[in-house]
């Protein structure tokens, strides 16, 4: 069943910035109205009502968490943090005006909190630190991030994750950093544990990434069209996200299965309940509960009213890109189904331009607003953990890196110039020149004027509150006043992509003097691997299955022999050592005998994936072993069985495991000697691409991408090279729904062309044909990242 509105909780007078929903009858919300509210249901049939309002000061409350009941607090504690830099702890069974505990240590805004089952508190702040508190006293000071810490997550009682505006995620063992995860292109805003895999992260780069604790990216979720602020995980394992595009999205197996549009500017926070309900907190000050259980849905009248609020929301034209009204289709375009959940279509309905979004749960188009003219811009630029309308590059001297000049359009330009000169130890005599620079590069904006809109202390964004005198105490800015912000030329800043046309939101804005430079993508030499797994659970299930075979009268001959069991257990011991953080030295090194055992036990395709990922050298120790291993893999996956749709669940699963195993085989430590690599490409050429799911296609594209990485590093045979190019072009010709598969294939093609140019491979040739095929991909996927790599590939072959 789809999630639908269950309840709207109205009491806050400003943005709801954080949520916690530890039980089915308790919700904690934190708001910029300087309060936190504990919402409770006295009975399962009753509605949520404010049980207590918690207030410890007059400044924004930006984070909230929950401590489970103790003997001293039978209903548990609410933990809050905010601009006053203090972490306050309130008993929920007997709330008072003053907190029961106040934790002092941070020096700036406390923007994120989490609590372990044992009651240990983890906090993150704009002061660039995270802190661990036990028994309400400071236990550890986690220092290492270069910018604000915007996300914290308790892995267990002694391990913690932190995400930062420096674009990195760190794993801490007590007070020591044991691993740093890099990959996001902008500030990391949220973290969530993903059972049996690792964790998920979201970022201002619009992406959600799912990681193993070993550092591998399992997959990246694309769909949000602006900052993604918050993550949660449902009891089913589905991921829930909320962001600046005013949506809550539900993800399953790497795909968005439902999009919940809100009648607000931003969805700041999401949380999940044990019963699977979703809670959201928005810029309109409302806490909403969505349920997949029909008995908990709101009344038909309330659901209709909610849909009307969403449909009547005005969308600024800058938010959806430049639109030529005469080119838009009419209402008849809504007679055709959408291609994917969350797809947005604009139509010309008389004098109004309407935006509609495809809802796969109801198989219908849902109106999400009317597009109107409005002054404004969307994304801010990050500098030192805070966000600005502009971050200019200022060249002071030839041969010296440019200095960064952050600026908000509501600032006085003379004040901004003076701060810039003082912070860089430059003479104040330059102040007039800096002011002229600012004025020249902000042509068309209202500078030096105060805003009357209510301002977000994190992003400097307004919520269109009429007559409000609130201003961001950090940047003093509002969202809808500036035109195009200048991107620094020395680093990559993720740009907003128009969800309707694929164009940049700022295409009509004046160009600043400090020009943005698109970072070069190709070549990409880093392999993508599939190493995620719960090793102990996999081992337990295998032993349980083997025991069942052994005890059944008709199947004991199918059980593993003692020596096979020994080899399999040694393989699991090796993997357990390789996957812990930090990795420990294994007691056994995998050898040919272990691979031979896996070949004999054909059911162990997933074990094969991990062995090839963590011990590829085991395939190199005996001549012909790789060829034998490959044939056994394809046989075990029932490759030659029918491909008729729908694929049987067993074959669908086996195909995915097979593809991920093959992707792991193509990596740095493997040799292409022998016939095994060409044999893999022969098999892949037989697969009917239309029968493959999205996850299959991404995995298949990853195989070809990893093979291209090998071609970058070492010369390869012409037959292998030609097959690789042919398969990549086949994906580009066939793929019209999944941009991730197309993107990986494009990068792989770019790698091959680079290798060819370096004279390590035969010439790619047929440039005109390549360009024609590539341009078809450009039409199918207007995403900026796809467009950028297409431009690079086209330039290479032209």
């Amino acid at each position: 069943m789809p999630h639908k509105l269950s309840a709207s909780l109205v009491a806050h007078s400003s943005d709801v910035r954080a949520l916690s929903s530890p039980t089915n009858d308790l919700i904690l919300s934190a708001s910029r109205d300087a309060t936190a509210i504990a919402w409770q249901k006295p009975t399962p049939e009753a509605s949520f009502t404010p049980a207590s309002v918690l207030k410890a000061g007059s400044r924004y409350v930006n984070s909230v968490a929950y401590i489970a009941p103790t003997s001293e607090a039978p209903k548990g504690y609410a933990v809050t943090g905010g601009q006053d830099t203090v972490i306050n702890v309130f008993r929920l069974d007997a709330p008072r005006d003053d907190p029961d505990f106040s934790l002092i240590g941070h020096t700036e805004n406390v923007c994120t909190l989490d609590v372990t089952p044992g009651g240990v508190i983890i906090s993150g702040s704009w002061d660039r630190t995270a802190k661990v508190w036990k028994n309400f006293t400071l236990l550890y000071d986690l220092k290492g991030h270069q910018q604000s810490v915007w996300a914290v997550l308790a892995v267990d009682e002694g391990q913690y994750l932190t995400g930062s505006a420096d674009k990195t995620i760190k794993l801490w063992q007590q007070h020591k950093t044991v691993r740093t995860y890099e990959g996001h292109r902008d500030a990391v805003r949220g973290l969530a544990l993903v059972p049996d895999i690792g964790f998920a992260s979201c970022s201002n780069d619009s992406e959600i990434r799912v990681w193993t604790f070993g550092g591998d990216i399992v997959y990246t979720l694309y769909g949000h069209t602006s900052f993604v602020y918050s993550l949660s995980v449902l009891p089913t394992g589905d991921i829930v996200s909320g962001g600046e595009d005013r949506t809550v999205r539900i993800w399953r197996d790497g795909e968005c299965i439902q999009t919940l549009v809100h009648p607000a500017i931003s969805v700041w926070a999401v949380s999940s309940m044990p019963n699977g309900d979703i809670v959201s907190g928005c810029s309109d000050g409302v806490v909403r509960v969505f349920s997949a259980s029909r008995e908990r849905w709101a009344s038909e009248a309330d659901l209709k009213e909610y849909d009307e609020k969403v449909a009547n929301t005005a969308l600024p034209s800058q938010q959806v890109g430049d639109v030529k009204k005469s080119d838009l289709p009419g209402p008849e375009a809504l007679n055709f189904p959408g291609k994917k959940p969350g797809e947005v279509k604009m139509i010309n309905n008389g004098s109004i331009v309407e935006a509609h979004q495809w809802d796969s749960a109801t198989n219908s188009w849902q109106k999400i607003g009317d597009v109107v003219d409005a002054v404004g811009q969307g994304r801010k630029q990050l500098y030192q953990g805070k966000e600005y309308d502009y971050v200019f590059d200022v060249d002071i001297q030839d041969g010296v890196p440019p200095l960064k000049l952050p600026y908000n359009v509501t600032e006085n330009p003379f004040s901004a110039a003076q701060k810039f000169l003082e912070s860089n130890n430059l003479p104040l005599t330059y102040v007039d020149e800096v002011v002229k620079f600012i004025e020249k590069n902000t042509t068309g904006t209202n500078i030096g004027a105060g805003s009357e809109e209510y301002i977000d202390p994190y992003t400097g964004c307004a919520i269109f509150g009429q007559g409000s005198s609130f201003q961001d105490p950090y940047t003093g800015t509002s969202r809808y006043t500036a035109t195009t912000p200048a991107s620094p030329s020395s680093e990559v800043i993720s740009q907003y992509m128009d969800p309707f046309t694929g164009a940049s939101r700022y295409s009509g804005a004046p160009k600043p003097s400090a020009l943005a430079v698109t970072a070069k993508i190709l070549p990409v030499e880093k392999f993508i691997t599939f190493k995620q797994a719960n090793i102990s659970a996999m081992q337990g299930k295998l032993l349980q299955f083997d025991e069942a075979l052994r005890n059944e009268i008709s199947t004991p001959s199918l059980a593993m022999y003692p020596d096979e069991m020994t080899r399999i257990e040694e393989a699991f011991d090796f993997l357990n050592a390789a996957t812990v953080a930090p990795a420990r030295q294994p007691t056994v090194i995998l050898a040919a005998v272990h691979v031979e055992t896996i070949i004999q036990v054909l059911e162990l395709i997933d074990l094969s994936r991990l062995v090839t990922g963590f011990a590829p050298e085991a395939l190199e120790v005996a001549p012909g072993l790789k060829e034998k291993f490959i044939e056994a893999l394809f046989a075990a996956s029932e490759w030659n069985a029918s491909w008729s749709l729908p694929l049987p669940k067993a074959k669908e699963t086996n195909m995915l495991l097979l593809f991920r195993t093959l992707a792991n085989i193509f990596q740095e430590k493997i040799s292409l000697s022998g016939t095994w690599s060409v044999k893999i490409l022969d098999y892949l050429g037989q697969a009917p691409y239309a029968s493959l799911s999205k996850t299959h296609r991404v995995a298949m594209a990853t195989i070809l991408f990893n093979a291209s990485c090998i071609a970058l590093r070492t010369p390869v045979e012409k037959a292998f090279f030609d097959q690789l190019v042919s398969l990549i072009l086949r994906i580009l010709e066939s793929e019209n729904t999944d941009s991730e598969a197309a993107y990986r294939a494009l990068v792989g093609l770019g790698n091959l062309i680079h290798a060819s140019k370096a004279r390590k491979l035969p010439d790619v040739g047929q440039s005109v044909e390549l360009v024609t095929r590539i341009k078809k991909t450009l039409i199918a996927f207007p995403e900026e990242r796809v467009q950028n790599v297409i431009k690079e590939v086209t330039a290479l072959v032209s």
Side-chain angles (χ1 to χ4, degrees), residues 245-495:
D245 60 4
R246 70 195 187 106
T247 69
V248 168
R249 296 175 188 254
I250 306 172
W251 310 81
R252 179 180 300 158
D253 297 330
E255 298 186 17
C256 180
I257 61 170
Q258 189 177 0
T259 301
L260 300 169
V261 184
H262 286 58
I265 298 300
S266 307
V267 178
W268 293 120
V270 292
S271 182
S272 57
M273 290 183 163
N275 61 8
D277 287 359
I278 297 170
V279 188
S280 66
C282 298
S283 56
D284 60 1
V286 180
V287 176
R288 294 180 175 88
V289 182
F290 296 85
S291 180
S293 297
R294 185 183 296 273
E295 62 271 15
R296 293 197 294 275
W297 288 353
S299 66
E300 288 296 329
D302 288 342
L303 291 175
K304 183 179 180 182
E305 180 184 3
Y306 179 77
D307 290 340
E308 289 175 350
K309 285 183 179 179
V310 172
N312 293 329
T313 303
L315 302 177
S317 58
Q318 283 82 1
Q319 185 176 334
V320 298
D322 297 325
V323 179
K324 189 175 181 181
K325 184 177 177 181
S326 60
D327 290 344
L328 295 176
E332 66 278 0
L334 302 180
N335 295 328
F336 300 94
K339 295 180 179 179
K340 58 183 179 180
E343 178 188 349
V344 178
K345 179 178 291 186
M346 286 191 297
I347 65 167
N348 183 353
N349 190 3
S351 60
I352 300 174
V353 174
E354 298 177 350
H356 294 256
Q357 182 167 269
W358 179 251
D359 183 359
S360 60
T362 60
N363 288 320
S364 63
W365 290 98
Q366 176 187 11
K367 184 183 176 185
I368 59 173
D370 297 325
V371 181
V372 299
D373 290 330
V375 179
Q377 65 142 49
R379 293 193 167 186
K380 301 284 183 174
Q381 302 298 311
L382 279 179
Y383 179 67
Q384 294 185 346
K386 298 181 177 68
E387 294 175 336
Y388 296 86
D389 295 311
Y390 297 85
V391 179
F392 296 115
D393 283 344
V394 180
D395 292 311
I396 301 298
Q397 181 180 343
D398 290 340
V400 177
L403 302 176
K404 300 296 182 183
L405 169 55
Y407 178 71
N408 282 305
V409 295
T410 52
E411 284 186 277
N412 184 301
F414 285 91
S415 175
Q418 184 174 340
K419 290 179 184 177
F420 167 73
L421 295 173
E422 289 176 349
S423 63
N424 290 285
N425 296 318
L426 296 172
L428 291 178
T429 52
Y430 287 131
V431 68
D432 288 335
E433 293 182 41
V434 177
V435 169
K436 290 178 181 177
F437 177 88
I438 292 173
E439 291 176 340
K440 178 182 178 182
N441 289 303
T442 56
T443 302
T445 64
N446 298 318
I447 61 177
S451 170
E452 295 185 352
E453 295 176 331
Y454 193 97
I455 306 302
D456 170 27
Y458 292 88
T459 64
C461 295
I463 62 167
F464 301 114
Q466 295 300 318
S468 173
S469 60
F470 288 98
Q471 256 195 338
D472 172 13
Y474 294 90
T475 64
T477 62
S478 62
R479 175 185 297 133
Y480 295 107
T481 53
T483 51
T484 310
S487 299
S489 60
S490 60
E491 67 180 273
V492 182
I493 298 294
S494 58
Q495 296 295 321

Side-chain angles (χ1 to χ4, degrees), residues 88-106:
N88 293 304
V89 184
F90 300 85
R91 282 178 55 179
L92 291 175
D93 60 306
R96 303 180 300 174
D97 291 339
D98 295 324
D100 294 271
F101 302 94
S102 292
L103 314 183
I104 300 174
H106 284 295

Side-chain angles (χ1 to χ4, degrees), residues 729 749 753 764-774 797:
L729 291 178
L749 180 61
I753 298 171
V764 173
Q766 299 178 330
S767 299
V768 175
E769 181 184 356
L770 279 177
V771 171
T772 301
R773 296 185 182 187
I774 292 170
V797 299

Side-chain angles (χ1 to χ4, degrees), residues 602 605 631-641 650-652 654-655 657-658:
L602 295 180
I605 304 177
E631 290 294 342
L633 279 176
F634 279 95
S637 66
E638 299 180 328
W639 180 265
N640 293 323
K651 183 176 178 70
E652 183 178 337
N654 287 339
M655 287 301 104
L657 295 176
L658 170 67

Side-chain angles (χ1 to χ4, degrees), residues 620 624 626-627 670-677 717:
E620 301 282 2
K626 288 196 292 288
E627 284 77 7
I670 207 75
S671 167
L672 292 184
S673 61
T675 62
W676 67 273
S677 57
E717 296 293 333

Side-chain angles (χ1 to χ4, degrees), residues 52-119:
S52 53
V53 178
L54 312 173
K55 185 172 183 178
S58 60
R59 306 193 68 184
Y60 300 159
V61 182
N62 295 315
S63 52
V64 69
Y66 174 74
I67 298 178
T70 64
S71 57
E72 295 82 10
K75 289 188 177 181
Y77 293 95
V79 186
T80 66
Q83 284 185 333
D84 61 5
T85 74
V86 179
I87 300 168
N88 293 304
V89 184
F90 300 85
R91 282 178 55 179
L92 291 175
D93 60 306
R96 303 180 300 174
D97 291 339
D98 295 324
D100 294 271
F101 302 94
S102 292
L103 314 183
I104 300 174
H106 284 295
T107 58
E108 290 196 52
N109 175 41
V110 179
C111 52
T112 178
L113 290 166
D114 196 25
V115 176
T116 71

